[in-house]
Amino acid sequence: VDCIFCAIGRGEIPANAVFESDEIVAFRDLDPQAPTHVLVIPKEHFQDVADLSERNPQLAAKLLAATTTVAELEGLADGYRVVTNLGADGGQSVWHVHFHVLGGRSLQWPPG
Ligand code: 5GP
Ligand code: ZN
């Protein structure tokens, strides 16, 4: 497959899903950095959040709202982090837009 997250969105590669709608899927990160580490993606391919917000702002808003749903489902009332990495300097490693939802422990700031 050319894009691993497109394949997850189509259900071709198994993922540990915590939330799914017709347009969005949220699933657990393969290499979790916190007790909760969930990735929220649109099923349609956009390379990063800039591409998504330019081409489909309505879907961008839905993706952001889905991070709130994940936090509620995961019981992150004490706080959590929503982050998206963009480009080489941003540390992006999968070129299909995703929000990370991290929580379940006290997180440090700033990132490296
Ligand atoms: P990025 O580095 O692009 O911000 O985040 C990519 C994330 O995707 C990483 O945290 C990495 O662990 C996760 N990841 C990469 N491949 C897979 C996969 O096949 N399945 C799952 N569940 N997570 C993946
Ligand atoms: Zn993709």
Side-chain angles (χ1 to χ4, degrees), residues 4-5 8 27-31 39 85 91-94 98 100:
I4 192 103
F5 286 2
I8 288 172
F27 55 96
R28 297 194 190 282
D29 197 290
L30 211 54
D31 180 24
L39 303 174
N85 300 321
Q92 185 173 5
S93 63
V94 175
H98 48 283
H100 298 256

Side-chain angles (χ1 to χ4, degrees), residues 4 10 25 58 60-61 63 71 84 88 96 107:
I4 192 103
R10 289 192 296 262
V25 59
Q58 194 177 3
L63 201 65
T84 187
H96 179 131
L107 300 165

Side-chain angles (χ1 to χ4, degrees), residues 14 43 45 50 52 78 90 92:
K43 292 180 178 178
H45 185 88
L52 172 64
D78 288 343
Q92 185 173 5

Side-chain angles (χ1 to χ4, degrees), residues 32-96:
Q33 302 301 312
T36 288
H37 187 173
V38 172
L39 303 174
V40 185
I41 68 166
K43 292 180 178 178
E44 185 182 345
H45 185 88
F46 297 87
Q47 80 162 24
D48 56 40
V49 73
D51 183 32
L52 172 64
S53 62
E54 259 179 37
R55 290 168 53 206
N56 194 337
Q58 194 177 3
L59 182 57
K62 287 181 187 174
L63 201 65
L64 191 57
T67 68
T68 308
T69 303
V70 168
E72 287 167 359
L73 290 170
E74 292 288 302
L76 303 180
D78 288 343
Y80 58 98
R81 185 166 297 158
V82 176
V83 65
T84 187
N85 300 321
L86 191 157
D89 278 2
Q92 185 173 5
S93 63
V94 175
W95 300 83
H96 179 131

